[in-house]
Amino acid sequence: TSEAPALELRNVNASYGTTTVLRDVSLSVAPGSVTALIGPNGAGKTTSLRVASGLMRPTGGQVLVDGVDVTRSSAARRAKGGMCHVPEGRGVYRNLTVRENLLMQATSSSPKETIEIAASVFPRLGERLTQKAGTLSGGEQQMLALSAAYVANPKLVLVDEPSLGLAPIIVDLVFDFLKTLREKNVALLLVDQYALRTLAIADHAYVLRRGEIAYDGDAAGLLQGNMFEKYIGEG
Ligand code: ATP
């Protein structure tokens, strides 16, 4: 018996006004697995995540979570059902403290437990609980945004460009964190500019090009022979 995917986009079309940005996109994320979504700027990666989490309605096709059609359900409802979308650009409340941000993200009714979990994953956050999120460094804000993927206890996490604009040492921390998610058996759909590092932690990969799926296969397959140059390399 095959388990339903944690997430499936089925023949999705999406557009901004009259501009079509996703054409017949089908992709799925197996339960407890890591799926990479890569492709050049403007290919439609962010739009795919927005359609998946319900921030944007597709003009055609379906979104399924655990085999259930959620195309018409709101982002809030999908979040309650165990989906966590960490958007590009650090979705934190700048005027709230680190502690308050964590408590807003949390599903546990125990504030103490929430804070302990976050501090164990990102010790730096534990040291800055009373600081306003807007005064954190970019890397710390990204850690705070990512900690939702822990304290909200999701089954499915969508992460958009978590390493964008971060110093290399913080990028390492981000990828370590993504690996711990993988060990927790969370299903993860990951978009990141570092294609090699993303593929290294992924089971399955999709390459999106101009709104269409150009590659659908093993992440490792993209690292063999001339596949990387063909699908991802410049030129
Ligand atoms: P990036 O890495 O640059 O974010 P992406 O692969 O995530 O790229 P999207 O952000 O999904 O791509 O954008 C896909 C296309 O849709 C691009 O051509 C972009 O210019 C266009 N687009 C994105 N947002 C809007 C918007 N709000 N209004 C109009 N066009 C948009």
Side-chain angles (χ1 to χ4, degrees):
T1 79
S2 65
E3 224 178 332
L7 172 71
E8 186 180 354
L9 301 192
R10 205 179 270 176
N11 307 112
V12 160
N13 290 295
S15 47
Y16 295 101
T18 56
T19 314
T20 299
V21 294
L22 296 180
R23 283 187 196 85
D24 210 25
V25 167
S26 292
L27 62 82
S28 64
V29 181
S33 77
V34 179
T35 297
L37 180 60
I38 49 199
N41 285 346
K45 306 179 297 294
T46 295
T47 305
S48 301
L49 298 191
R50 291 171 58 82
V51 167
S53 69
L55 292 176
M56 193 171 156
R57 282 290 146 90
T59 51
Q62 281 101 41
V63 181
L64 296 96
V65 171
D66 297 328
V68 176
D69 190 330
V70 299
T71 317
R72 293 177 175 283
S73 69
S74 66
R77 190 167 202 154
R78 291 182 214 186
K80 278 203 193 103
M83 188 189 294
C84 172
H85 182 176
V86 182
E88 186 177 343
R90 293 142 212 174
V92 300
Y93 296 100
R94 300 177 59 84
N95 288 322
L96 299 186
T97 65
V98 169
R99 175 194 297 277
E100 288 163 345
N101 269 275
L102 290 168
L103 296 182
M104 301 266 300
Q105 297 166 345
T107 48
S108 162
S109 52
S110 158
K112 187 167 172 283
E113 187 182 88
T114 297
I115 301 301
E116 278 170 9
I117 291 170
S120 71
V121 190
F122 290 121
R124 280 205 204 197
L125 293 181
E127 294 159 12
R128 287 164 171 70
L129 291 172
T130 57
Q131 201 172 317
K132 289 264 170 75
T135 68
L136 297 173
S137 71
E140 289 159 356
Q141 288 185 28
Q142 185 65 76
M143 292 176 206
L144 183 54
L146 284 168
S147 57
Y150 249 78
V151 300
N153 208 22
K155 289 184 290 187
L156 169 66
V157 178
L158 317 173
V159 184
D160 199 354
E161 299 280 10
S163 65
L164 197 67
L166 301 183
I169 189 160
I170 310 294
V171 175
D172 291 345
L173 278 177
V174 166
F175 274 91
D176 288 346
F177 170 79
L178 296 169
K179 279 184 221 154
T180 67
L181 271 188
R182 185 200 162 102
E183 282 149 23
K184 267 187 68 166
N185 246 13
V186 170
L188 173 63
L189 180 58
L190 176 60
V191 170
D192 200 88
Q193 54 176 335
Y194 289 104
L196 282 175
R197 298 184 74 156
T198 302
L199 290 171
I201 63 166
D203 303 288
H204 200 87
Y206 294 91
V207 176
L208 203 52
R209 252 197 217 146
R210 296 199 195 102
E212 289 177 286
I213 299 287
Y215 176 90
D216 167 1
D218 280 355
L222 270 181
L223 297 171
Q224 279 158 16
N226 65 351
M227 294 293 278
F228 193 80
E229 288 73 30
K230 182 172 170 198
Y231 285 101
I232 302 150
E234 315 284 75

